[in-house]
Amino acid sequence: MLKSRRQVIIGLMLTVACGLTSCDRLPIYSHYEPTPITGWEKNDTICFGIPPVKEAGYYKEELGLRINEDYPFLGLCLIVQQTVLPSGYCHYDTLNCHLIDKKGTIRGTGINHYQYTFHVNTIRLAEGDSLHILVKHNMKREIMPGVTDIGIKIERDAD
């Protein structure tokens, strides 16, 4: 009986510890912007303004993408520009998003709208830094049909 009581206490302590450590992983920012119904034009830039962070540290950046059955290609090339304010440091990433494999299998989740998540960067921010993120497509076609939403999620990375 003493052994089972000890196991219960240890189990409760582990549960509380896991709960406290998982709180750091909550997103500090998560937002999607819709693209035009007529198609996402090459010169249309999607903008995100991330408010100042409360704690210095490393932050994981992810891009969310939603497409529908009108999207005509296996992949999508995106340019992500990030500016840290107030320093003005600017960083560019090119994401080659593989959406459908050569056999036609969709890699995203969903039924007639598919959602994808792609890691962009892990960035070091000081207390009070904010981010301005711009996303545009870099495809040969001027208008991309079927791209419905672009999103950004920022969460504090475990140090």
Side-chain angles (χ1 to χ4, degrees):
M1 180 153 158
L2 181 63
K3 187 174 183 180
S4 67
R5 186 177 220 170
R6 180 182 292 162
Q7 288 173 338
V8 169
I9 291 172
I10 290 172
L12 286 172
M13 289 173 47
L14 287 173
T15 302
V16 169
C18 288
L20 291 175
T21 58
S22 67
C23 292
D24 284 347
R25 300 291 295 188
L26 293 176
I28 63 160
Y29 181 86
S30 182
H31 180 73
Y32 276 83
E33 283 290 328
T35 60
I37 294 173
T38 56
W40 186 18
E41 291 189 36
K42 194 168 191 156
N43 60 356
D44 285 344
T45 303
I46 309 293
C47 303
F48 300 92
I50 291 84
V53 297
K54 295 179 182 177
E55 292 182 59
Y58 288 93
Y59 290 84
K60 180 178 163 187
E61 303 169 325
E62 292 182 340
L63 182 131
L65 172 66
R66 295 178 183 150
I67 64 169
N68 63 29
E69 66 277 353
D70 295 333
Y71 188 74
F73 301 109
L74 300 177
L76 177 64
C77 182
L78 299 172
I79 306 275
V80 181
Q81 176 187 339
Q82 307 155 65
T83 305
V84 178
L85 301 171
S87 72
Y89 170 76
C90 193
H91 180 79
Y92 291 86
D93 285 295
T94 301
L95 297 180
N96 290 309
C97 307
H98 301 285
L99 308 175
I100 302 168
D101 68 19
K102 292 180 182 179
K103 295 179 183 178
T105 304
I106 296 168
R107 294 182 172 181
T109 57
I111 297 173
N112 63 355
H113 276 77
Y114 304 99
Q115 184 157 331
Y116 301 84
T117 303
F118 300 97
H119 176 75
V120 177
N121 194 15
T122 300
I123 191 167
R124 171 103 170 103
L125 297 174
E127 181 182 343
D129 281 354
S130 63
L131 285 170
H132 184 69
I133 297 177
L134 305 174
V135 181
K136 62 182 179 178
H137 77 78
N138 191 29
M139 302 290 283
K140 289 182 181 179
R141 189 171 184 172
E142 285 295 316
I143 298 177
M144 297 305 299
V147 177
T148 61
D149 301 283
I150 301 292
I152 293 291
K153 181 170 93 172
I154 311 287
E155 64 183 18
R156 193 160 182 346
D157 201 14
D159 293 325

